[in-house]
Structure formats: C-alpha cells, structure tokens
Amino acid sequence: MASWRAAGLFLALVLYGLLSVPAPAEIRPAEAAIGALLVLGVGLLRPLCVATGQTLLERGSPQWEMPAALALAVLLWCPLMRGVWLDWAPGDMVRDVVPLLYLFLPVLLVPMLRAAPDRAVGLLAGGLAVAGVGFALRWWKQADWGFGAVGVRAMADGGVYLLNAPSVLFAAIALPAFGIGMLTQGGWLRRAAGVASILGGLLCLVALAGAVHRMALGLAAVAFFALGPWWLRWAPLAALGVGTAALLSVALFPEMLFGALGQAAEKTRLAGANTRWEEAEAALGQALSSPAAFLFGQGWGALLANPAVGGWRVSYTHTLVTYALAKTGVIGLCALIAYLGGIAPRVLALLRSDPALGWAVSAPLLMALGAHTSFKYLDTGLLLTLAVLAAERGKWLPPR
C-alpha cells in the first residue's frame, strides 16, 4: 500500500510540473487531479487522527511527530478561529489554510510511507526532479528557447513564476549529483541515463541563471562546492570528466558565465534585499497593533499592506517568519519553530548519510523557508517529507 501511495505522489508531481503552476489562482482539472492524488496518498485515517488529537496519544512514534502534530493543531485552529472572528473572506482563509497543510505534509505522509521507505524516497525524489525539469522546460518555452540571452540580459520570470518552485533548484542539484554516479556504474543504458540527468540539471541551472535567481544560484554553488570532495572520493573518473567539461564550457562561453555573475551583482546593487526589511517592519507593525494580534496574529485570511508589492493589500509576505508573525502571532510562530526544529536534525543527518540527496533537499528548503514565498508551495512540503523519510531509513547510500 505504501508503494502505491508513493506512486500516486510521483504522478501528482509529474502533473504539477507539466500542467500546473507553483501558486495556482484557481482549481482547474490538473489541480483537481493533483489534489485527488494527494488525498489518495494521505488517506482518511491519518488526517482524522491528527485532527482529533489521537496522534498525540500514540506510543513509539519518532520524537519529531508529536510536536509536529501539536504544532499543526495550533496553527490550524487558532488562526482559523481568529479569521472567522474578524470576518475575513472565506476565499482568503482557504488560500492560507491549504499552504499550511502543504507545509505539514510530513505529519500526514511519513507514517503512510514508512512501510516502504526506499521505494517512497526514490519515487518522491524522481517526481520532484521531473517536476523541476518540467517547470524549467515550460519557462524556456515562454522565453522562446533563448539560451543565447543568458548572461546578456535578465530574462523575465513570466506571469506564473515557474522557476520559483523549489523543485527546480532540487532538480538543478540532484540530477547532476546522481548523474555523475551513474556514469561509473552499470552498462551503457545507465551511463546514458547519467548523461541525461546531468543535462536536465544543467537545463534547470541555466534557467535560474537566465532569470537571475540570486539565492537559488548561490545555494546551488554552495551545494556543488560541498559535494566536490564527495564526488572525487566515490566517482573520481566521472567527477574529473564532468569537471573538465565544465571548465571547457567556461573557456568556450565565458561571456555567459561572467555575464550571469555580473547581472546578479547588478541586481543586488539595484534591488538589495527586495524590500524584505520594509515588509518585515509592516508585518511587525500589524502584529503589534493589539495584544490579541501579538499573541494570535490577525488570523488566516488577513491581508497586509505589503511594501514589497507597492503597498497593495495582499495575503502573503516573502518570508515565512514575517508571514507567520502577521497571521498567527507569537504563539503560532513558536509552534512553527518547534515543528521545523524537530525536522532540522533529520535534514542534518541526511547531509551526513547521503550528501547528494541531502544538499539537493536542504538548498531549496533554505530558499523556501528563509527568503521566498515558496514556503506556501506543494513541493516544499514534499521536500520536507522526502528529507524525513530518507533520514529515517538509517542507511548510507553510495552515489547513484
């Protein structure tokens, strides 16, 4: 049953990357199919146990599960009741509650997938990689396949911000990391798959460079730098071959690399932190507007006059901390810290046991949870699920 649930999640991610968008404005057939597959993956019993508090009475569960289930209850019901009390629009409340459930997918999914961890990890990682490549391909299609513009001019993100999906950065790191291992293992078919993986990762990486996604590019660079010694140890010939090919590419196309670096520096000079400090000040001001707002926030469905979007009243901020503070107050923020603090040791353990997967997971999570609106996206919750499942296997994994 766990394998079938994981297969459903894989299919949901494929549909997500090929037919949906990171933050859909409406429910279309693709989103309805993705939602149905998620429901099939989670089942009905686990959500009922979490909602009724039955999970808190279970014995023998990992240390992170009880604080996570309690944090979900606090973050769901307190801001929801607050939003109802303040009479916020139901549609705005739904747009806050659904991303909350995405963020807490490990609470709902990990116990359902624990019976087949290896299969579940493989399908989740594969689905996230396919979704990332799918988003990148769709962005390149919007950009008219303008590879020559990389490093020459900053290319548009597009109206639906496909490259903001954390799965794009996951694919940009995971596919080259695993592809290098494939080049030294098995027959020609596996080597061909390794080459395809590396090319798929480069497609995502170059797309991020074309749109000048500074944080994603910086985290990718850190991940590759950290993985260098690991590659040289476990796949030295393949690592040296790929490194030589990379140096040759730099020698042949220096304007692309140095142009992209120059554009990132120029964007930093012009945009700085993209008004994140002003946004944080506005969120703090809303939280300090009353004692109730300080403790419980303004509730799900509340709008904020956000300086990051010209002062428009919107339902989001660009960082998880300011979003939680404005909507859920100090109590909700503490619940969120307890939840993520319980998962953090699993991510760190994964970095030690499987560096390639660990960096592929942790880099997009740092982006999503630290300085990006993508904390509200489906793939962020599935990345957290993947990290917990992979860490719980307790096995050292050689390069793929």
Side-chain angles (χ1 to χ4, degrees):
M1 180 62 73
S3 296
W4 284 106
R5 293 180 190 275
L9 294 173
F10 173 84
L11 182 56
L13 281 165
V14 172
L15 293 176
Y16 178 58
L18 297 180
L19 299 176
S20 186
V21 296
E26 58 183 349
I27 299 178
R28 302 171 302 165
E31 284 74 33
I34 293 168
L37 289 167
L38 287 175
V39 171
L40 289 175
V42 172
L44 296 177
L45 181 61
R46 181 64 182 179
L48 286 174
C49 289
V50 172
T52 58
Q54 178 66 30
T55 307
L56 302 177
L57 303 178
E58 294 177 356
R59 296 180 178 271
S61 58
Q63 290 182 347
W64 67 272
E65 278 193 21
M66 185 177 293
L70 184 60
L72 176 56
V74 170
L75 285 164
L76 176 62
W77 295 113
C78 291
L80 188 60
M81 294 300 99
R82 175 80 169 153
V84 171
W85 176 264
L86 295 175
D87 198 25
W88 301 132
D92 290 329
M93 286 192 283
V94 170
R95 278 190 284 271
D96 284 334
V97 170
V98 170
L100 174 73
L101 298 178
Y102 285 164
L103 189 63
F104 277 81
L105 276 175
V107 180
L108 304 175
L109 280 175
V110 170
M112 301 294 100
L113 302 175
R114 197 174 275 139
D118 292 323
R119 177 65 61 86
V121 166
L123 287 171
L124 274 177
L128 285 162
V130 171
V133 173
F135 283 131
L137 284 171
R138 290 165 62 193
W139 180 84
W140 279 116
K141 183 179 179 182
Q142 290 180 1
D144 294 325
W145 309 101
F147 296 101
V150 178
V152 177
R153 58 181 175 83
M155 303 166 74
D157 277 312
V160 289
Y161 299 98
L162 296 171
L163 297 183
N164 283 4
S167 54
V168 177
L169 181 56
F170 173 84
I173 298 171
L175 289 176
F178 297 148
I180 289 176
M182 291 178 187
L183 293 179
T184 59
Q185 298 177 3
W188 67 269
L189 188 60
R190 188 172 179 85
R191 292 190 178 95
V195 172
S197 295
I198 293 171
L199 292 177
L202 289 177
L203 185 79
C204 296
L205 193 62
V206 175
L208 292 170
V212 198
H213 280 235
R214 295 170 293 167
M215 188 170 188
L217 292 171
L219 288 169
V222 171
F224 289 136
F225 181 80
L227 287 173
W230 184 74
W231 277 325
L232 287 173
R233 180 181 179 186
W234 296 111
L237 293 178
L240 289 173
V242 172
T244 301
L247 291 175
L248 184 60
S249 300
V250 171
L252 293 175
F253 306 103
E255 65 281 353
M256 180 179 290
L257 175 63
F258 294 111
L261 291 174
Q263 286 177 351
E266 180 65 11
K267 185 175 181 180
T268 301
R269 185 185 71 83
L270 294 174
N274 280 340
T275 65
R276 294 294 193 271
W277 295 114
E278 293 83 354
E279 182 181 70
E281 184 180 356
L284 182 61
Q286 181 159 302
L288 294 175
S289 60
S290 69
F294 178 73
L295 289 175
F296 303 107
Q298 295 288 12
W300 297 136
L303 302 180
L304 173 71
N306 195 331
V309 290
W312 285 18
R313 291 182 60 80
V314 293
S315 63
Y316 62 88
T317 68
H318 288 81
T319 59
L320 178 58
V321 170
T322 56
Y323 175 82
L325 183 63
K327 303 264 186 169
T328 70
V330 171
I331 291 177
L333 185 59
C334 289
L336 184 64
I337 292 172
Y339 166 56
L340 296 177
I343 289 181
R346 274 75 187 168
V347 178
L348 294 175
L350 183 60
L351 282 169
R352 293 190 295 268
S353 63
D354 187 354
L357 184 59
W359 278 105
V361 166
S362 59
L365 284 177
L366 283 172
M367 180 184 72
L369 302 176
H372 213 278
T373 55
S374 49
F375 63 83
K376 300 182 74 172
Y377 296 171
L378 169 64
D379 30 358
T380 298
L382 290 176
L383 280 167
L384 287 167
T385 303
L386 174 59
V388 174
L389 270 175
E392 283 189 355
R393 288 183 302 176
K395 296 178 181 178
W396 172 83
L397 297 176
R400 270 65 170 182

